[in-house]
């Protein structure tokens, strides 16, 4: 008897991610069994690096200039909106809007789940959408969260981690451009690596985090996708894109969960609010992991309808 499964947008990363979330929620001890399994579920950084290497090899180098432009547009828009919304809450609403603080807002919105992004655009996007991850990956870690608040000027930012985050993609891009045979071999690893990365990401999240974040955390996820995401789609389209990249970037990275604590470490003034913000960001990670593929699917279908209508009038 075969199990029949109806595919849906972004399922190559969402389904394994959900399995990981359920595993970590109900039998977390299984993740500590040891051996290669434990190394894999706790090795998200290395897995993403491998994925970016395969992805780089699959990209047509001719699309690189367009990819740089597209990546810059969507991630700068996302970061700018995170700062604008965060500082508005800080100064207009006395740092509390429906339970959300500027720390939670900036921490969640400024960073995108690039693994989820690449998994979605691999299905809906083109080479420039795929290549844009080399730029969107620059928004990693607590950099924006530390710089944006006026009290966070203590941050010391090194260029090397940033270079290291995009180096696998660049190496893959070069190898794929130099050797058509290597390009074909490495490109075949994109989808399998997406599945493994999705599972590892899920093993770092739990349903408990969703409940700890409460309604405010769910609201944060909704704002990230349905408000910020819609604007990044618009920014992508008015600069010549299809909107796919703009929709696919509308998520919160799992790494964002560490941002409140990182800021509290350099500024004790945030120590009390950091645990609450952490739970809210974790809830946003989970909510956006499911809503972002849906938004991208909607944009893709709208594009198809417009293309069909245009073809019918010709």
């Amino acid at each position: 008897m075969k199990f029949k499964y109806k595919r849906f947008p972004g399922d190559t990363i969402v389904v394994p991610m959900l399995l990981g979330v359920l595993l970590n929620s109900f039998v977390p001890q299984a993740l500590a069994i040891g051996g290669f399994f434990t190394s894999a579920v706790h090795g998200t950084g290395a897995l993403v690096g491998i994925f970016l290497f395969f992805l780089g090899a699959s990209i047509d180098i001719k699309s690189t200039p367009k990819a740089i432009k597209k990546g810059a547009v969507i991630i700068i828009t996302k970061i700018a909106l995170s700062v604008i919304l965060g500082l508005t809450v800080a100064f207009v609403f006395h740092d509390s809007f429906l339970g959300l603080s500027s720390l939670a807002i900036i921490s969640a919105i400024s960073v995108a789940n690039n693994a989820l992004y690449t998994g979605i655009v691999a299905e809906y996007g083109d080479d420039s959408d795929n290549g844009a991850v080399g730029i969107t990956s620059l928004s990693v870690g607590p950099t924006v969260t530390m710089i944006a608040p006026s009290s966070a000027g203590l941050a010391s930012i090194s260029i090397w981690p940033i270079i290291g985050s995009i180096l696998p993609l660049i190496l893959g891009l070069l190898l794929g451009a130099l050797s058509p045979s290597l390009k074909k071999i490495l490109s075949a690893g994109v989808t399998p690596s997406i599945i493994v990365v999705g599972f590892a990401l899920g093993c770092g999240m739990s349903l408990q985090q969703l409940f700890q974040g409460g309604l405010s955390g769910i609201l944060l996820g909704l704002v990230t996708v349905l408000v910020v995401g819609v604007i990044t789609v618009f920014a992508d389209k008015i600069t010549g894109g299809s909107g796919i990249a703009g929709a696919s970037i509308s998520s919160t990275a799992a790494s964002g969960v560490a941002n409140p604590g990182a800021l509290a470490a350099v500024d004790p003034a945030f120590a009390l609010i950091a645990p609450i913000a952490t739970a809210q960001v974790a809830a946003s990670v989970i909510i956006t992991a499911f809503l972002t593929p849906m938004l991208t699917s909607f944009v893709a279908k709208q594009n198809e309808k417009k293309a069909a209508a245009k073809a019918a009038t010709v």
Side-chain angles (χ1 to χ4, degrees):
M1 180 179 177
K2 292 185 178 180
F3 174 71
K4 290 188 177 181
Y5 158 69
K6 186 177 181 180
R7 297 198 62 188
F8 60 89
D11 61 348
T12 52
I13 190 167
V14 172
V15 171
M17 183 184 294
L18 178 59
L19 292 174
V21 169
L22 293 175
L23 190 62
N24 191 37
S25 299
F26 299 109
V27 282
Q29 61 272 20
L31 303 181
I33 196 171
F36 298 124
F37 180 75
T38 298
S39 297
V41 298
H42 293 306
T44 306
L47 293 172
V48 171
I50 293 169
F51 169 71
L52 290 176
F53 179 69
F54 289 153
L55 180 67
S58 71
I59 296 171
D60 183 354
I61 200 166
K62 294 179 182 177
S63 69
T64 301
K66 187 177 180 181
I68 293 174
K69 174 189 172 185
K70 185 170 292 187
V73 167
I74 60 177
I75 200 61
I76 289 174
T77 300
K78 197 172 193 294
I79 290 173
L81 288 171
S82 75
V83 174
I84 291 170
L85 291 174
L87 295 185
T88 297
V89 167
F91 295 112
V92 178
F93 297 96
H94 306 290
D95 212 23
S96 181
F97 177 74
L98 299 178
L100 293 174
S101 64
S102 58
L103 177 58
I105 292 171
I106 296 174
S107 294
I109 299 177
S110 65
V111 290
N113 187 332
N114 287 293
L116 180 64
Y117 170 88
T118 48
I120 298 172
V121 297
E123 181 174 351
Y124 292 108
D126 55 23
D127 279 344
S128 63
D129 293 321
N130 284 317
V133 74
I135 303 301
T136 62
S137 293
L138 295 176
S139 176
V140 293
T143 303
V144 177
T145 307
M146 288 183 171
I147 293 177
S150 58
S151 59
L154 300 175
S156 178
I157 306 165
S158 170
I159 191 66
W160 297 113
I162 296 175
I163 294 175
S165 69
I166 62 172
L167 190 57
L169 186 83
I170 294 173
L171 291 175
L173 183 67
L174 292 175
L175 281 178
L178 292 173
S179 172
S181 59
L182 275 177
K183 182 181 183 71
K184 184 177 180 180
I185 293 170
L186 295 174
S187 297
V190 172
T191 300
S193 62
I194 288 174
I195 295 171
V196 177
V197 168
F199 180 71
L201 286 172
C203 289
M205 298 183 282
S206 68
L207 294 176
Q208 289 92 322
Q209 290 175 321
L210 180 60
F211 292 112
Q212 287 171 358
L215 293 177
S216 56
I218 295 173
L219 173 64
L220 181 57
L222 293 174
V223 169
T224 302
V225 176
L226 302 181
V227 177
V228 176
V230 169
I231 296 174
T232 53
V233 168
F234 179 71
D236 184 15
K237 287 193 171 185
I238 64 173
T239 53
S242 64
I244 296 297
S248 300
I249 204 69
S250 63
S251 62
T252 297
S255 62
V257 175
N259 289 352
L263 181 55
V266 297
D267 190 340
F270 290 92
L272 291 177
I273 199 173
I276 299 172
T278 298
Q280 291 169 336
V281 175
S284 182
V285 171
I286 296 172
I287 293 297
T288 60
F290 295 98
L291 290 184
T292 297
M294 293 181 187
L295 175 63
T296 310
S297 175
F298 175 78
V299 172
K301 289 178 180 177
Q302 291 300 111
N303 289 345
E304 290 175 2
K305 288 181 181 179
K306 289 181 180 179
K310 186 177 180 180
T313 58
V314 175

